[in-house]
């Protein structure tokens, strides 16, 4: 008897071994890591892609497709959940998470890419056979055939509540954000409809990779010699890699003379470095320095002026990342692992202080799309005491005549203006500096004195900065 005759048969047809698709299997593995381990896609995906390339399974196009499948599925998870829920006969919470991941990957291929419908369904069913087994593959096939009956616009007409009945719920489904995030972003924009749909849409766009040339170690001109490189829009040290450029292929990045850093983060560091102060300009502090991007830029700028940077980070492993980012800095610096709410330095020590506080990260949803599904409104209560404590430390640490920059990568009013207003009540001998002139050439900076950047306006992460001067 041959080996074939011993294989199980289904519906009278010869057994067919599932064909393993390395691209979709890798995408599935990345989604499972995000779900099971609360991992971040931007940390999980690169090593998976690197391993696949080393094994010879991937070329550049495969890596690009896998990246699109992972990030696209995560960004549109809320929309796809609503569509899938309309195609199954049970609540989504009763669908096993691995099955739901395969369905979501399939929905993204059907509704969010140019992959032909028959190919998207077929590839998803094959993936289900490989990672879930034949029984669940039949379920995946049945559901995705229903999904394929309409395009994205057709589904949104069916599953999104009418705008005039519930605008926040409508936008949440159409643009795939939790309702509370839609509400918070709307408030941060000022409440009117203008801008909210553009912002939510921008959160679902794949962001460009932006490099920073660290002064004294690299120049933007050097980075612009790379393929598919264009100047930054606002920062003189920024270079954008278009067409999916790979930062690891850039020599200056490999050597640490340049790094990957959103232009909004660069602008915040530059604004703090260029804020006017009275008297000496010798001692700078980055009080929440991990993982080191702003510290590396500040350290280089400080070195150009003969100033010294102290970079402080509470978590020792993140302090190690800061030290790595600063390694090779042309001037003196120091890195310490210290709790910013109980600092080891004396009050009034520094001329410039940057406090980029831990936050919900709602300003970087383009880069960390899974964060929108992970965060909860109650997280704001957890961050609030820390944010206020760190700003108090910053104001105590700066000398009279010096300046403090309070920064967050969140536009939520509870993490930005509310924190500044509350803490400044305890420090009457301070004044808010108009930060807008510190962002030369950047449009859409609002009424001031603080600055809120936006993905849909400046093309950056939604960074916030308030500049405060000690006057007594």
């Amino acid at each position: 008897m041959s080996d074939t005759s011993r294989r199980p048969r289904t519906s009278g047809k010869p057994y067919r071994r599932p064909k393993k698709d390395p691209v979709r299997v890798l995408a599935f593995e990345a989604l499972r890591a995000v779900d099971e381990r609360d991992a971040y896609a931007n940390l999980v995906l690169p090593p998976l892609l690197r391993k696949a390339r080393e094994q010879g399974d991937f070329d550049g196009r495969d890596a690009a497709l896998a990246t699109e499948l992972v990030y696209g599925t995560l960004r549109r998870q809320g929309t796809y959940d609503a569509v899938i829920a309309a195609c199954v006969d049970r609540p989504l919470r009763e669908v096993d998470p691995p099955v739901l991941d395969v369905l979501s990957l399939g929905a993204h291929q059907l509704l969010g890419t140019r992959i032909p419908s028959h190919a998207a369904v077929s590839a998803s069913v094959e993936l289900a056979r490989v990672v879930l087994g034949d029984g669940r593959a039949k379920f995946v096939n049945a559901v995705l055939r229903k999904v394929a009956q309409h395009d994205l616009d057709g589904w949104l007409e069916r599953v999104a509540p009418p705008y005039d009945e519930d605008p926040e719920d409508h936008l949440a489904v159409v643009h795939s954000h939790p309702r509370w995030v839609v509400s918070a972003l709307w408030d941060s924009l000022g409440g009117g409809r203008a801008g909210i749909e553009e912002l939510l849409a921008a959160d679902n766009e794949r962001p460009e990779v932006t490099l920073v040339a660290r002064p004294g170690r690299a120049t933007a001109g050097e980075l612009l010699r790379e393929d598919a490189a264009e100047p930054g829009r606002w920062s003189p040290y920024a270079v954008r890699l278009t067409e999916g450029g790979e930062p690891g292929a850039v020599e200056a990045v490999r050597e640490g003379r340049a790094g990957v850093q959103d232009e909004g983060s660069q602008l915040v560091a530059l604004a703090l470095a260029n804020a006017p102060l009275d008297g000496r300009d010798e001692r700078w502090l980055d009080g929440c320095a991990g993982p080191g991007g702003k510290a590396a830029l500040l350290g280089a700028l400080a070195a150009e002026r003969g100033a010294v940077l102290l970079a402080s980070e509470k978590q020792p492993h993140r302090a190690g990342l800061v030290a790595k980012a600063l390694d090779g800095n042309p001037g003196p610096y120091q890195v310490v692992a210290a709790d910013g709410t109980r600092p080891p330095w004396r009050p009034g020590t520094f001329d410039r202080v940057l406090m980029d506080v831990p936050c919900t990260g709602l300003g970087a949803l383009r880069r960390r799309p899974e964060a929108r599904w992970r965060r909860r409104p109650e997280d704001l209560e957890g961050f609030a005491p820390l944010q206020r404590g760190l700003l108090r430390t910053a104001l105590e640490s700066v000398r009279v005549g010096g300046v403090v920059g309070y920064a967050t990568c969140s536009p939520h009013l509870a993490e930005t203006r509310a924190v500044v207003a509350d803490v400044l009540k305890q420090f009457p001998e301070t004044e808010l500096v108009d930060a807008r002139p510190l962002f030369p050439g950047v449009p859409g900076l609002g009424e001031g004195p603080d600055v809120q950047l936006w993905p849909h306006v400046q093309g950056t992460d939604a960074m916030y900065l308030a500049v405060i001067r000690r006057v007594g």
Side-chain angles (χ1 to χ4, degrees):
M1 184 181 295
S2 68
D3 289 340
T4 301
S5 65
R6 294 197 298 269
R7 293 175 181 168
R9 295 178 178 270
T10 303
S11 301
K13 297 179 181 179
Y15 173 80
R16 180 170 61 85
R17 186 181 300 278
K19 180 182 178 182
K20 185 175 180 179
D21 180 339
V23 172
R24 288 167 177 82
V25 169
L26 185 146
F28 173 79
E29 291 174 350
L31 291 180
R32 294 310 304 139
V34 169
D35 184 45
E36 291 180 325
R37 307 202 316 265
D38 282 343
Y40 285 103
N42 68 325
L43 299 179
V44 167
L45 195 54
L48 289 175
L49 293 174
R50 185 165 53 250
K51 181 179 179 181
R53 284 193 291 264
E54 290 171 353
Q55 293 176 341
D57 292 338
F58 269 39
D59 58 21
R61 289 188 301 176
D62 291 331
L65 176 57
T67 300
E68 168 57 29
L69 292 180
V70 172
Y71 278 93
T73 300
L74 289 171
R75 289 189 184 104
R76 285 288 186 176
Q77 177 182 315
T79 302
Y80 297 151
D81 279 356
V83 172
I84 294 167
C87 296
V88 299
D89 58 358
R90 69 194 76 166
L92 283 191
R93 64 179 179 273
E94 296 180 10
V95 178
D96 286 345
V99 177
L100 194 53
D101 280 343
V102 173
L103 289 173
S104 298
L105 279 168
H108 181 58
Q109 293 168 74
L110 286 166
L111 305 178
T113 74
R114 296 180 180 179
I115 297 172
S117 294
H118 68 276
V121 173
S122 175
S124 299
V125 172
E126 288 294 325
L127 172 64
R129 286 198 178 100
V130 170
V131 300
L132 304 173
D134 280 342
R136 291 178 171 183
K138 293 177 181 177
F139 175 72
V140 167
N141 181 54
V143 173
L144 291 183
R145 287 188 180 279
K146 293 180 182 178
V147 174
Q149 291 174 2
H150 308 286
D151 62 10
L152 180 59
D153 289 338
W155 273 115
L156 291 177
E157 290 180 3
R158 289 165 172 79
V159 301
Y163 182 89
D164 56 359
E165 292 182 9
D166 191 335
E168 291 179 346
D169 218 19
H170 172 88
L171 293 173
V173 174
V174 170
H175 294 287
S176 191
H177 285 64
R179 181 191 172 101
W180 77 271
V181 174
V182 172
S183 180
L185 294 178
W186 211 336
D187 288 344
S188 299
L189 284 168
R193 184 173 180 179
I196 183 61
E197 293 189 69
E198 290 83 354
L199 171 57
L200 297 174
D203 274 350
N204 290 328
E205 294 292 329
R206 182 179 180 182
E208 293 175 324
V209 175
T210 304
L211 305 181
V212 57
R214 290 167 178 160
R217 303 172 66 184
T219 66
E222 175 187 353
L223 301 181
L224 285 170
R225 292 196 291 269
E226 299 291 332
D227 293 337
E230 296 182 2
R233 295 178 178 89
W234 323 116
S235 166
Y237 304 106
V239 169
R240 296 175 292 136
L241 295 184
T242 60
E243 301 177 12
E246 173 54 50
V250 179
E251 181 179 2
V253 174
R254 293 197 303 271
E255 295 174 350
R257 297 183 294 109
V260 177
Q261 187 175 39
D262 179 73
E263 200 163 0
S265 294
Q266 297 181 41
L267 292 175
V268 163
L270 290 169
L272 185 277
N274 294 326
L277 47 70
D278 301 323
R280 69 169 195 259
D281 191 9
E282 301 171 354
R283 297 177 181 176
W284 297 13
L285 170 67
D286 185 346
C288 272
K294 294 184 186 69
L297 181 53
L298 284 174
L301 294 170
E304 290 185 335
R305 305 184 198 176
V308 178
L309 175 74
L310 174 64
S312 175
E313 169 56 47
K314 181 178 180 180
Q315 301 295 335
H317 74 281
R318 286 172 62 85
L321 296 175
V322 177
K324 183 178 179 181
L326 279 162
D327 186 31
N329 194 63
Y333 65 88
Q334 184 180 2
V335 179
V336 297
D339 184 345
T341 62
R342 294 181 293 177
W345 52 83
R346 295 193 302 272
T349 295
F350 299 98
D351 308 306
R352 299 182 188 273
V353 176
L354 176 64
M355 199 64 79
D356 183 6
V357 299
C359 66
T360 57
L362 297 182
L365 298 182
R366 304 178 304 161
R367 303 182 190 284
R368 290 188 169 180
E370 62 282 303
R372 71 185 75 178
W373 312 116
R374 226 170 256 176
R375 291 298 185 194
R376 297 290 182 269
E378 51 267 29
D379 292 339
L380 295 165
E381 299 175 6
F383 282 118
L386 177 60
Q387 292 164 346
R388 285 162 172 76
L390 289 169
L391 179 53
R392 283 193 294 269
T393 292
L395 293 170
E396 292 165 352
S397 299
V398 73
R399 64 169 178 81
V400 174
V403 290
V404 167
Y406 173 83
T408 74
C409 191
S410 169
H412 200 298
L413 293 174
E415 302 188 271
T416 57
R417 290 181 172 176
V419 173
V420 174
D422 285 352
V423 174
L424 290 193
K425 292 176 183 176
Q426 305 168 33
F427 290 83
E429 296 180 334
T430 59
E431 63 180 12
L432 276 169
V433 176
D434 189 348
R436 293 172 297 172
L438 305 174
F439 293 75
V442 181
L445 297 179
E447 299 178 357
D450 50 3
V451 164
Q452 178 65 67
L453 301 175
W454 297 105
H456 67 296
V457 178
Q458 292 89 12
T460 69
D461 290 345
M463 292 294 303
Y464 171 85
L465 179 69
V467 179
I468 307 160
R469 180 185 291 113
R470 282 288 304 268
V471 295

